[in-house]
Amino acid sequence: MPDSGRLWGMGNGRVRALAWQWHGLEAAVRLRQKPNRRTGEGDIQARAFSRRRIYWLGLALIAILIVALLDQFAPKLASLHRHRPVVASSGAPQSYKAALHDIDLIIAGDRGLADARGGEWLMQERLANAYIGRARLTGSFDDYATAQAALDKAFATAAPGTGPHLTQAVLAFNLHRLAQTSAALDAIDHYSVMGQHEVHDEAVAMRGDLAFYRGQYAEALRLYRQGRGFAEGSFRMAVYLSRTGAPDEALAAIDSMEAGIKFPTAQVLSNLALLRGSIELQRGEWGKATDYFRRADAIFPGSWLIQAHLAQMLAMAGKREQAARQYEAIARRSSVPEVMDALAGLYRAQGDAARATFWADQAGQIWARRLDQLPEAAYGHAVEHELAFGNPDRALELARLDYKARPYGVTAIALAWAYIGANRPADALRIIDPVLRSAWVSADQHIVAAQAHLLLGQTEDADAERQKALAINPRSFDREAALIWFGH
């Protein structure tokens, strides 16, 4: 808090001007009163008038000072309020291990109900939702596949015009099957009697998701704002803003959403912290990103995904041996191929070819199995694996398939890199140019454009794209940035 001398000497100019006005008015009151020398009446009136004028001027000055102080300190106070930590509800699991234990109990119960009441599609939908919840914890494609099998059974027993269409839409979207998502939403639109408003609003918002991942950003925003349940402080809005060049607004949307959650679970709060960290990572604020990832781990300890983010930040900070130990522990415990790829990349950066090859091969086997199991869900990360450790032609094949399924910023950038990997920079520019002209904003799109121009000998264009990338993320070309596998 500044002292009074600093406030008057350097503070709001309005306050200084009104202070001088105060002194001038007080002097004017004294000069304008001409007392009656015989009766003294004028002198008394002048003193009374002066006191009243001074009293009201004093109140006005106090009010102005209050406004000035609020002007100066309100942003700081608002910031403190905005970043006040929200405490997780004690009624939900407080750790990854506890959450996994609880969802396993729910699955066991729902499976029993589904088996006992096989003719009721609602029981199969309950089981599917439980497996979707587990998949979001584990990242397991087996869990997603089991959820889809339960929904298939539900639709087989549901009467025409009924069935778990919203759950199917959610699962299909998670599996990057946009056509199946759209078909499920169409079925909801054709219900003879529309259900709860929440179902309708979620269906509209999901159509916004479809537009977003088809590269139709203006349409996505329109649909997001159409639903009655839409709020500017929402997860969807935060993602939209973070990908369209408004990271500060995205963080504010997350703050607003967090403050409005009625039942804030540890898992949800940790996911919001992860999203904040990813936004900071995208603009090169590695320290802030690390702080958010640590917060996520403190809120919901034990999550492999959070721990992988933290291991990544250790690697980028030069603590590579410690990062490798953490990655390896996660990889052996969870068998997640993204973690194995990150570990292989780290070992390669350290010059350890044998270990890099071992972990890349382990990841490659899992990606091959996932591509057979749920191909659309595997394309994106399998492209990264093939670009880093595999076959450039295979990377290009997968990138084309992913872009065809979801033609938006991320898949376009991956396809452009795949073209560069195949020594086709002109095709890379053909793919990335629409992204550069769209609402999508990322350093990555300018990095790949710079590389394509450079390979074509267009050095001025390459430098211009390089500067655009640095304007978004000043650490775009840091050597350590090559170690980013999570949150990019």
Side-chain angles (χ1 to χ4, degrees):
M1 176 74 71
D3 59 26
S4 58
R6 184 175 183 274
L7 177 63
W8 284 100
M10 301 175 64
N12 194 311
R14 256 184 329 175
V15 176
R16 295 199 304 274
L18 284 162
W20 286 112
Q21 190 177 15
W22 151 270
H23 291 298
L25 286 170
E26 184 182 13
V29 168
R30 290 197 300 267
L31 289 172
R32 288 175 183 171
Q33 303 305 317
K34 297 181 179 180
N36 187 315
R37 296 183 182 276
R38 184 173 59 83
T39 65
E41 178 182 354
D43 189 51
I44 295 171
Q45 291 175 346
R47 286 197 299 272
F49 177 80
S50 178
R51 284 196 297 271
R52 288 195 301 272
R53 193 66 175 267
I54 291 171
Y55 172 79
W56 289 110
L57 285 172
L59 288 180
L61 183 58
I62 290 170
I64 292 165
L65 281 170
I66 291 171
V67 171
L69 289 170
L70 287 175
D71 282 346
Q72 186 169 357
F73 296 111
K76 296 180 181 179
L77 293 172
S79 176
L80 288 173
H81 173 73
R82 185 170 66 247
H83 295 292
R84 182 183 302 158
V86 176
V87 179
S89 170
S90 60
Q94 301 294 301
S95 70
Y96 179 85
K97 183 178 179 180
L100 197 56
H101 174 267
D102 284 7
I103 198 68
D104 284 342
L105 291 177
I106 292 170
I107 286 173
D110 288 347
R111 187 186 294 117
L113 287 171
D115 290 343
R117 298 156 68 177
E120 298 180 26
W121 64 262
L122 285 170
M123 297 300 103
Q124 295 294 340
E125 183 183 33
R126 281 182 54 170
L127 182 60
N129 274 314
Y131 272 106
I132 292 170
R134 192 178 195 279
R136 286 173 174 165
L137 280 170
T138 63
S140 168
F141 275 35
D142 291 338
D143 289 335
Y144 280 125
T146 305
Q148 185 58 63
L151 289 178
D152 291 342
K153 290 181 181 178
F155 281 113
T157 59
T162 66
H165 291 101
L166 184 59
T167 300
Q168 180 62 83
V170 169
L171 178 58
F173 184 76
N174 277 310
L175 299 180
H176 302 168
R177 295 173 173 174
L178 302 193
Q180 187 181 16
T181 305
S182 183
L185 295 176
D186 288 345
I188 294 173
D189 288 345
H190 288 91
Y191 283 172
S192 57
V193 178
M194 180 54 68
Q196 297 176 335
H197 290 313
E198 291 82 357
V199 173
H200 174 265
D201 290 341
E202 180 62 18
V204 171
M206 289 195 71
R207 289 200 182 279
D209 295 337
L210 291 175
F212 183 82
Y213 288 98
R214 287 169 173 159
Q216 302 163 355
Y217 307 117
E219 176 66 3
L221 184 59
R222 185 189 71 80
L223 287 166
Y224 286 156
R225 286 177 167 162
Q226 183 176 317
R228 284 180 291 269
F230 176 83
E232 291 290 337
S234 68
F235 193 88
R236 284 182 168 98
M237 196 60 184
V239 172
Y240 179 90
L241 291 167
S242 72
R243 293 300 195 175
T244 54
D248 288 327
E249 290 86 344
L251 292 170
I254 298 171
D255 292 337
S256 177
M257 176 187 175
E258 186 177 76
I261 297 174
K262 295 180 180 179
F263 186 67
T265 68
Q267 185 177 352
V268 167
L269 294 178
S270 71
N271 285 339
L272 295 181
L274 269 182
L275 180 57
R276 288 186 181 100
S278 296
I279 292 169
E280 296 293 4
L281 194 62
Q282 290 165 23
R283 59 178 177 180
E285 294 285 356
W286 293 357
K288 291 180 180 179
T290 301
D291 289 342
Y292 280 127
F293 297 150
R294 285 173 178 162
R295 182 191 298 183
D297 188 52
I299 294 170
F300 193 62
S303 165
W304 69 267
L305 182 58
I306 298 171
Q307 291 173 353
H309 279 79
L310 287 170
Q312 171 182 268
M313 303 315 291
L314 286 172
M316 292 162 61
K319 301 176 181 179
R320 294 186 173 183
E321 291 184 5
Q322 186 179 350
R325 287 195 299 271
Q326 290 198 24
Y327 271 142
E328 188 160 342
I330 299 166
R332 293 188 184 280
R333 183 174 71 248
S334 64
S335 298
V336 176
E338 294 97 321
V339 177
M340 296 175 183
D341 280 334
L343 180 57
L346 180 56
Y347 277 133
R348 184 170 62 185
Q350 292 178 293
D352 193 334
R355 288 180 176 172
T357 300
F358 172 81
W359 285 108
D361 288 347
Q362 296 295 308
Q365 293 173 22
I366 299 174
W367 285 124
R369 187 163 64 251
R370 289 187 169 190
L371 285 165
D372 285 338
Q373 189 177 28
L374 298 169
E376 298 90 346
Y379 288 151
H381 289 296
V383 169
E384 294 178 341
H385 170 83
E386 293 294 339
L387 282 172
F389 309 109
N391 186 322
D393 292 334
R394 177 61 169 160
L396 181 56
E397 177 188 358
L398 294 173
R400 282 171 169 164
L401 290 169
D402 199 21
Y403 181 72
K404 182 179 179 181
R406 299 180 302 151
Y408 78 119
V410 168
T411 57
I413 292 166
L415 179 55
W417 277 118
Y419 274 123
I420 287 175
N423 196 26
R424 295 169 58 176
D427 285 321
L429 286 178
R430 174 177 57 81
I431 291 297
I432 207 63
D433 184 62
V435 179
L436 298 175
R437 292 184 284 105
S438 75
W440 191 269
V441 178
S442 71
D444 293 338
Q445 67 204 57
H446 297 293
I447 295 171
V448 70
Q451 183 65 25
H453 282 301
L454 194 62
L455 290 172
L456 291 169
Q458 301 164 352
T459 54
E460 290 186 4
D461 290 332
D463 186 61
E465 293 297 334
R466 178 185 175 90
Q467 294 306 314
K468 291 176 183 177
L470 290 170
I472 297 169
N473 180 353
R475 309 194 76 161
S476 294
F477 297 94
D478 284 17
R479 184 177 62 179
E480 292 81 2
L483 299 174
I484 296 176
W485 286 83
F486 300 94
H488 59 80

